[in-house]
Amino acid sequence: MSEQSTSGSGYVEQEFKRDTTYISDRITADGRDGWPVEAGRYRLIAARACPWANRTIIVRRLLGLESAISMGLCGPTHDERSWTFDLDPGGRDPVLGYERLQEAYFARDPEYPKGITVPAVVDIPSKAVVTNDFPQITLDFSTEWPQFHRDGAPDLYPEKLRDEMGEVMQRVYTEVNNGVYRCGFSGSQRAYDKAYQRLFTALDWLEERLTDRRYLMGDTITEADVRLFTTLARFDAVYHGHFKTNRQKLTEFRALWGYARDLFQTPGFGDTTDFPQIKEHYYVVHADINPTQIIPAGPDTSVWLTPHGREELGGSPFGDGTPPGPTPEGERVPADHGPGGIPHR
């Protein structure tokens, strides 16, 4: 997902409101929408720069779905038309043959009227987008694809916790995931002040919640942690300055910062995080907010590898399960794009 940049300040409203109307088809075990679960049939198109797409990359890796659902990656920047496959040789996705993700949307609907967003799941035979409903995609990875989960995969969406998880994830989405954008895209001082207060009220709530529990829902990681992590990973690198969420840095929250490092150092989280691509996306694409498109050199990302001490709270990330194995060849974040690496591409 992304906010399409325009000249001037055309995309900044008095109060930022996200368009949440997506292609809502689902890939299910019973194929009720016409899209049955089938190994090798679908391709996840994502971008490491995008927090919403980063969620799908993490969940796919945690569950071990790499061999069942292939993945194509767009580069960190895009124009008004579309995300592009500029990271691939020849600038084309090697499976779909497309230069632009827009082509997969137009294969579904030649007059597709909305923004071209990541993540998107594409049907390889027809080369058409099946869904870009990012909150549902990851839940379906958990609930509709279990026959293809790896041995030892975590239960990221436990039935007994779903009601409470729904409430937690909704607050995280409206107040934090979307809250940083509400600050950054405010079109007036009044809208910004209101958004800023809402964001830090929620972060203070999370700080308190995570003071005496290792993860959002207790002793093991769940989908809720994935959804919060991708915003926290971008907080100091982008949101604190670019989006003016500067009451304090993530590193200045005791519990939240420990929690974020705990997740980052867990396989599936930090090894899917590409700091140079993250910064390039926001500081280059959002030219209305950053007209020079200069990408800042800081902050020092090596701090993500410092001890967090969260083990003292008990629990373990995968419960009775196991961590995922090594990242597949061709899907690894370059070593110099991780903690302490290059400041920008």
Side-chain angles (χ1 to χ4, degrees), residues 18 26 59 99 153 176 182 187 215 223 276 278 311:
R18 184 177 299 281
R26 293 174 59 190
V59 171
E99 291 181 334
V176 181
R182 195 182 295 111
Y215 304 105
E223 170 92 15
I278 287 168
E311 303 94 338

Side-chain angles (χ1 to χ4, degrees), residues 89-106:
R92 289 184 178 273
D93 179 84
V95 173
L96 302 175
Y98 290 150
E99 291 181 334
R100 292 176 170 272
L101 179 55
Q102 183 184 54
E103 296 171 75
Y105 279 81
F106 286 171

